Amino acid sequence: MLFNSFDFLFIFAPVVLIVFFIVCSTGLNGIAIIWLILASLFYYGLWNPANICLVIGSILFNFALGKTLSNYENIILWKRVINKKALFVFGLTSNLLLLGYYKYANFFIDNVNIISGSSIHIEKIILPLAISFFTFQQITFLVDAYRGQTLKINFLNYCLFITFFPKLIAGPITYPREFFPQIIRRDVYKFNIENIAIGLTFFFIGLFKKVAIADNVSCYVTPVFNASEQNTLITFTAAWVGAIAYALQIYFDFSGYSDMAIGLGRMFGIQLPLNFHSPYKSINIIDFWRRWHITLSRFLRDYIYIPLGGNRKGDIRKNINIIITMLLGGLWHGAGWTFVLWGGLHGICLVINHMFRALRIKLGQDLNKPSLLGRGLSRAITFIIVTIGWVLFRADSFHGAYNIIQAMVGIHGVIVPNSLLGSLNNFYGLGDLFILKVGLDVKNIPLVGITDILIILILLLFVWFMPNTQQFLHRTISASEVYNLKIMPIKNKFLQFNYNIQNSMLLAIIIWICLLFLAILPKTEFIYNDF
Amino acid sequence: MISDRYNKYLLTTCIFFCFFTSIPISINMYYDEFGLFGLKHNIRLYHPEKSYKYLLSFKYIPDNFEGIIIGPSYSDNLDTRDIINFKIYNMSMDSANISEIKYAATNVITRGNIKFIIICLNPYITKDSCLKTTQIDPKDYWLSIFTFFPYIFNYSLKSKEMLHPELDPFHSSEWGYKDSNIWKHKIIFKDVIIKMRKEKSNKRWGINIDPIAYSDLKSIIDLAHNNNIRMLAYYYPLYYEFYGYFDISEWWRYKESMYKLFNEKDIVWDMNTSDYYYITKQESSYSDGHLSNRGAKLVVSVIEDKLNMCKDNL
């Protein structure tokens, strides 16, 4: 059951919400939590009921270990058997092994076979849904327990922390210190119409991003990437439209999902962390990773980069640590070398970015006051690099990615679509100038029309210049900020959200469009469900 | 006070949502252009024919007719009003392959209580597969209920037919009949024959059966069998000279493939045999290779005879 399905919208979510608050109204908060846990497990089990055992097993193991670690000083018996660090390493390794088995075993064996020429065969292991996300959350719990930072929590609260359905499948990756204080508060268990209004607004904006934008933009992506795998010649325009369309698709898809998760959480009175903050407005790659999948980049920083030494051991180690962190971040997204390369590309760009910043500081330049032109240029360069990165991320193979990137740099020639060519030729035969290579076999080339380019351009202007959901709903403080004071209110009063009649009309239109698209388009999963 | 604001916000959202939803629904219900609400019992067609017939297949056809004819343009001009004992909708679609027809046929089979289906078997419907145009789009069902989009599109085309009623092939299309001869009355069939003799006398026509189209046809027939719907099928009566242009072994292979799809209860007949020379040897039965009004009437009477023969088992 997906967030973008009628079953979820009209049956699951309302039933869970109503029963939760009915139980809360009787004062049985523990039962209300049990209800939420059971509903979340049911939601998860709909994909594959067998995986419920995996989640429960993982929860039991980590909770027991976390409790032991946090009470280690008081349990004399443990001290004699094993030391705290070894216990922590055991817990961490167990989680990583579980994740590694499901996610990387096939990949590992395939590569061993290629390198050694052997023919070891194992059955295709199907990745249990959300395993990457719930494993990461359990790791944060273990680390906090090891550091003695865990709050006193009971088993039910822990179960809810892991299984809470709004964030179970694809995050936002929440830290224990963000979640537990909220469910301990009594006001969470009181029905609050403000939370419902904010949550619903958020949820439907997210759903709109997914069904009205991401799912529709995908029609520009698939033909180009499929063609690139089949050795079909990709034109310059088609390659750029395909790559940019994917950049837009993945952004609207995942940020839509995150908005929906934040909205759902808010309906239950739980504030989840912000996951996206207009990433395509970034002026450099460092900025990009503070805006894109924020909870993952925070996790990578706190649990990989800093433990590796961060920037404490000199510039060279810092750069190596960045690259290792990003390579692992890439690998986390999928068991494939294209993901590793994507992570590596971002790692290298981050290193270059840090070096460039250091150089500018040395030269005495003020980094905080870029000129308008400089800002625009930086934004454009960052967007181009990120888009090229997405080609690696989306392509099924190196070959496919290479084919598209070649086309993007014009190696296949710049073939302007016929429709555009016609319009350009009306302007003194300008169209002919755009054909750098002639005599190409244009059969089977996925061409794009002027309308397609216009749609992509409009969406680009939207992501570059319009406020994001959090800025739009700034007054409601809907998501908790990961990087403090990042979300600035919009200056334009017209774009500031108020709970007034105009905005209720706007929301009604959004809901209407969402339901219409849900009815007419085939249901598609969220891209990040695969990770 | 704060909660009042949010209450009001949610309430007005609900009111606006109901308003935005109910306006197109009520207007669509009032006009019921595609019979989706079951409020009209005499709906005529306009261009694009495939879109209309597809949308009519959801409710109008299964609710109001006992049987349907499916096929390409070769059966599109059969006027089923001439069949007295049965109410049959002619769901044939000009230039459609069986994959396109399948969309509408599946709706009719599964949504109503029709008793029989008549298929016009012509190699044309199985020579290719998949959607040939965007005229049939499953999205249109929901769009026709909740929005004005299909209406706006169709009205633009409809207006052409309204402006030139003398060229309107759907003037009596409440039963699906398309009067294509309105465009073809100036064609002299003799000229067509002469042209064909010049072009085709030296080579034989092959018959290609697309595997997807074949499986689509099979799935329609199987679905009908599973729903206890009687199948009748006829091989389109080709003008005898054109029939001779076919590579005979290919034609037999084609017929063999088609026969495999039907069971012993189905009625399948070939109108290219000597029994039907009164149609196939008459130039007046044809307009341009398609049936003329006269030819169509003769075929309709054959269908009527076949139906009367099995009347008790329908």
Side-chain angles (χ1 to χ4, degrees):
Chain A
M1 189 171 21
L2 302 162
F3 284 177
N4 53 330
S5 67
F6 285 117
D7 301 344
F8 183 85
L9 290 174
F10 294 111
I11 301 170
F12 182 80
V15 168
V16 175
L17 198 68
I18 290 166
V19 173
F20 177 75
F21 284 113
I22 288 173
V23 177
C24 287
S25 67
T26 61
L28 300 168
N29 295 350
I31 304 287
I33 288 187
I34 292 173
W35 163 252
L36 262 187
I37 294 166
L38 290 176
S40 301
L41 288 174
F42 170 78
Y43 173 75
Y44 183 72
L46 284 176
W47 269 277
N48 182 359
N51 288 345
I52 294 177
C53 301
L54 185 76
V55 180
I56 293 174
S58 173
I59 288 172
L60 287 169
F61 173 79
N62 284 292
F63 182 72
L65 204 65
K67 273 284 175 192
T68 311
L69 284 169
S70 53
N71 293 326
Y72 186 83
E73 307 306 328
N74 306 328
I75 307 169
I76 300 160
L77 181 68
W78 276 110
K79 283 185 186 170
R80 288 182 191 156
V81 180
I82 191 166
N83 74 32
K84 192 177 177 181
K85 191 170 184 176
L87 199 63
F88 167 66
V89 171
F90 167 69
L92 196 66
T93 315
S94 306
N95 277 298
L96 292 175
L97 279 176
L98 181 78
L99 183 63
Y101 168 73
Y102 280 109
K103 205 159 180 172
Y104 306 108
N106 287 117
F107 177 65
F108 179 73
I109 297 293
D110 289 348
N111 282 287
V112 166
N113 282 342
I114 291 168
I115 293 164
S116 65
S118 57
S119 55
I120 307 162
H121 174 75
I122 56 165
E123 289 300 312
K124 172 99 183 131
I125 299 164
I126 295 167
L127 183 72
L129 190 72
I131 191 169
S132 311
F133 287 92
F134 70 70
T135 305
F136 271 21
Q137 302 231 137
Q138 314 232 44
I139 289 172
T140 62
F141 175 70
L142 284 186
V143 173
D144 282 7
Y146 175 67
R147 289 173 181 165
Q149 294 167 345
T150 314
L151 298 162
K152 282 185 180 169
I153 48 145
N154 62 33
F155 180 63
L156 284 181
N157 288 353
Y158 182 72
C159 281
L160 186 63
F161 167 61
I162 301 300
T163 61
F164 188 45
F165 75 88
K167 66 172 185 66
L168 172 64
I169 307 300
I173 301 165
T174 313
Y175 283 179
R177 60 176 175 272
E178 290 165 335
F179 194 82
F180 292 130
Q182 296 191 69
I183 45 172
I184 293 166
R185 268 195 345 247
R186 280 183 177 274
D187 56 341
V188 167
Y189 304 96
K190 282 182 188 158
F191 179 76
N192 184 333
I193 193 73
E194 182 183 349
N195 284 341
I196 301 290
I198 295 168
L200 271 178
T201 310
F202 239 88
F203 181 86
F204 278 106
I205 290 175
L207 186 61
F208 180 85
K209 284 182 179 178
K210 165 70 180 161
V211 297
I213 305 177
D215 287 353
N216 285 297
V217 166
S218 67
C219 70
Y220 302 115
V221 179
T222 317
V224 173
F225 280 86
N226 284 352
S228 74
E229 296 297 331
Q230 290 158 7
N231 266 339
T232 309
L233 192 73
I234 313 283
T235 65
F236 176 79
T237 31
W240 274 104
V241 166
I244 294 173
Y246 184 66
L248 292 166
Q249 186 197 356
I250 194 168
Y251 169 64
F252 282 111
D253 188 282
F254 196 22
S255 76
Y257 170 87
S258 298
D259 286 350
M260 289 159 85
I262 289 166
L264 280 167
R266 185 60 185 257
M267 283 188 243
F268 289 96
I270 303 229
Q271 206 176 37
L272 295 174
L274 180 70
N275 224 8
F276 285 88
H277 183 55
S278 300
Y280 296 142
K281 288 180 187 167
S282 311
I283 51 167
N284 53 52
I285 293 290
I286 298 170
D287 191 24
F288 176 78
W289 280 101
R290 286 186 176 170
R291 291 165 175 267
W292 178 271
H293 202 175
I294 298 169
T295 57
L296 175 72
S297 58
R298 173 180 67 163
F299 179 91
L300 295 175
R301 180 199 64 190
D302 293 349
Y303 295 97
I304 298 177
Y305 176 68
I306 293 174
L308 281 173
N311 59 2
R312 300 185 304 274
K313 295 181 180 172
D315 280 349
I316 295 173
R317 270 298 294 274
K318 182 181 97 173
N319 293 339
I320 292 170
N321 291 342
I322 288 173
I323 290 178
I324 292 172
T325 306
M326 293 313 291
L327 285 173
L328 290 174
L331 196 60
W332 174 84
H333 282 87
W337 289 111
T338 48
F339 289 111
V340 178
L341 191 64
W342 171 78
L345 173 77
H346 275 275
I348 291 166
C349 290
L350 279 169
V351 168
I352 294 168
N353 198 171
H354 278 288
M355 288 163 77
F356 187 61
R357 275 173 73 154
L359 180 72
R360 286 185 66 192
I361 291 167
K362 256 186 195 169
L363 294 172
Q365 291 183 8
D366 187 358
L367 300 181
N368 296 322
K369 287 178 184 169
S371 64
L372 197 66
L373 181 69
R375 218 179 158 76
L377 207 62
S378 314
R379 194 181 278 187
I381 292 169
T382 308
F383 181 75
I384 289 168
I385 291 168
V386 168
T387 305
I388 291 170
W390 288 134
V391 174
L392 291 167
F393 190 90
R394 169 63 174 78
D396 294 334
S397 65
F398 280 127
H399 167 75
Y402 182 62
N403 197 359
I404 294 184
I405 291 170
Q406 270 191 325
M408 285 167 85
V409 295
I411 290 177
H412 295 167
V414 181
I415 300 169
V416 177
N418 285 340
S419 49
L420 188 62
L421 201 63
S423 323
L424 288 170
N425 274 334
N426 289 339
F427 294 99
Y428 309 100
L430 205 60
D432 293 336
L433 290 175
F434 284 82
I435 305 174
L436 301 181
K437 277 189 177 181
V438 286
L440 288 168
D441 177 15
V442 291
K443 220 176 165 185
N444 297 326
I445 296 176
L447 288 174
V448 286
I450 187 83
T451 334
D452 309 326
I453 295 169
L454 271 177
I455 290 170
I456 298 294
L457 269 178
I458 291 167
L459 289 172
L460 273 182
L461 292 175
F462 200 85
V463 295
W464 280 338
F465 300 108
M466 289 297 281
N468 58 47
T469 321
Q470 284 75 23
Q471 288 172 314
F472 183 53
L473 297 167
H474 183 259
R475 291 178 189 195
T476 63
I477 316 170
S478 41
S480 54
E481 286 189 66
V482 173
Y483 298 102
N484 287 340
L485 302 174
K486 256 283 183 196
I487 308 171
M488 299 300 283
I490 320 158
K491 284 173 190 160
N492 188 338
K493 277 195 174 176
F494 179 73
L495 292 173
Q496 286 176 0
F497 187 86
N498 282 308
Y499 290 90
N500 54 24
I501 200 156
Q502 295 94 310
N503 284 327
S504 60
M505 197 199 307
L506 183 68
L507 181 64
I509 293 171
I510 286 174
I511 296 173
W512 185 79
I513 293 172
C514 288
L515 296 185
L516 188 70
F517 275 112
L518 279 180
I520 64 173
L521 290 180
K523 270 183 244 357
T524 54
E525 284 202 3
F526 290 93
I527 293 174
Y528 263 69
N529 281 11
D530 293 337
F531 305 141
Chain B
M1 286 310 251
I2 290 171
S3 68
D4 265 5
R5 192 159 55 119
Y6 292 111
N7 275 330
K8 214 180 271 177
Y9 170 74
L10 288 176
L11 189 70
T12 45
T13 303
C14 288
I15 293 168
F16 277 122
F17 177 72
C18 294
F19 177 77
F20 291 133
T21 314
S22 59
I23 290 291
I25 290 179
S26 26
I27 293 173
N28 290 342
M29 259 175 108
Y30 179 76
Y31 287 104
D32 202 12
E33 181 91 348
F34 306 112
L36 296 171
F37 299 93
L39 302 173
K40 283 193 175 173
H41 302 286
N42 257 322
I43 300 176
R44 60 152 289 178
L45 302 172
Y46 290 93
H47 270 115
E49 183 190 15
K50 287 178 189 172
S51 294
Y52 260 87
K53 285 188 173 170
Y54 170 64
L55 288 169
L56 293 173
S57 71
F58 282 92
K59 199 150 174 65
Y60 173 71
I61 301 171
D63 280 4
N64 295 295
F65 295 88
E66 291 170 90
I68 53 170
I69 296 180
I70 57 175
S73 53
Y74 291 107
S75 55
D76 208 4
N77 65 341
L78 301 182
D79 193 347
T80 51
R81 286 171 302 178
D82 294 342
I83 299 174
I84 295 159
N85 293 325
F86 302 94
K87 202 173 174 194
I88 303 167
Y89 193 86
N90 189 344
M91 218 171 64
S92 308
M93 296 173 183
D94 194 356
S95 72
N97 59 30
I98 197 68
S99 304
E100 292 175 296
I101 295 167
K102 187 184 162 191
Y103 280 91
T106 310
N107 283 338
V108 177
I109 295 168
T110 53
R111 284 165 184 263
N113 293 309
I114 59 154
K115 294 173 188 162
F116 56 89
I117 296 174
I118 301 155
I119 307 182
C120 169
L121 293 172
N122 184 294
Y124 184 84
I125 56 168
T126 43
K127 80 178 169 65
D128 52 27
S129 58
C130 305
L131 291 172
K132 284 157 79 176
T133 62
T134 53
Q135 289 176 21
I136 292 181
D137 189 341
K139 289 199 277 277
D140 283 350
Y141 175 74
W142 293 105
L143 290 175
S144 306
I145 291 174
F146 291 108
T147 72
F148 301 121
F149 298 131
Y151 289 91
I152 294 166
F153 176 66
N154 287 333
Y155 268 105
S156 64
L157 291 161
K158 196 173 169 178
S159 56
K160 279 185 195 167
E161 275 151 26
M162 285 170 160
L163 288 171
H164 301 284
E166 74 283 2
L167 292 175
D168 176 11
F170 300 114
H171 56 84
S172 316
S173 61
E174 287 79 1
W175 292 31
Y177 163 62
K178 182 181 181 184
D179 187 4
S180 45
N181 290 313
I182 214 166
W183 301 330
K184 295 176 181 171
H185 65 276
K186 284 183 184 166
I187 297 174
I188 300 162
F189 189 52
K190 231 181 191 69
D191 295 343
V192 178
I193 296 169
I194 293 165
K195 198 179 159 200
M196 289 294 256
R197 276 180 195 151
K198 276 184 194 163
E199 283 178 11
K200 303 289 178 186
S201 56
N202 294 329
K203 44 188 171 184
R204 292 278 167 259
W205 292 345
I207 298 174
N208 172 50
I209 303 176
D210 182 285
I212 299 169
Y214 186 73
S215 84
D216 283 340
L217 179 60
K218 185 177 182 316
S219 69
I220 294 173
I221 296 167
D222 289 347
L223 190 65
H225 286 153
N226 294 338
N227 283 277
N228 294 320
I229 293 169
R230 190 75 184 260
M231 294 300 306
L232 294 94
Y234 69 94
Y235 291 89
Y236 174 75
L238 293 149
Y239 178 62
Y240 82 102
E241 203 175 315
F242 295 172
Y243 177 68
Y245 292 151
F246 274 106
D247 181 335
I248 199 68
S249 62
E250 291 259 316
W251 179 258
W252 279 105
R253 190 179 59 84
Y254 170 72
K255 276 182 77 169
E256 205 176 308
S257 308
M258 293 298 127
Y259 272 121
K260 278 183 197 163
L261 301 173
F262 297 95
N263 65 27
E264 66 284 356
K265 285 182 186 168
D266 300 331
I267 298 170
V268 184
W269 72 98
D270 188 353
M271 292 181 80
N272 296 292
T273 61
S274 55
D275 294 346
Y276 299 99
Y277 277 167
Y278 67 95
I279 303 174
T280 56
K281 284 203 166 181
Q282 297 296 319
E283 286 172 16
S284 59
S285 300
Y286 298 90
S287 56
D288 59 345
H290 291 79
L291 294 166
S292 64
N293 284 342
R294 182 186 172 274
K297 273 191 188 302
L298 292 170
V299 171
V300 166
S301 73
V302 173
I303 291 172
E304 189 175 16
D305 290 345
K306 296 283 180 188
L307 283 169
N308 285 328
M309 271 163 57
C310 62
K311 198 159 85 178
D312 300 332
N313 295 322
L314 287 175

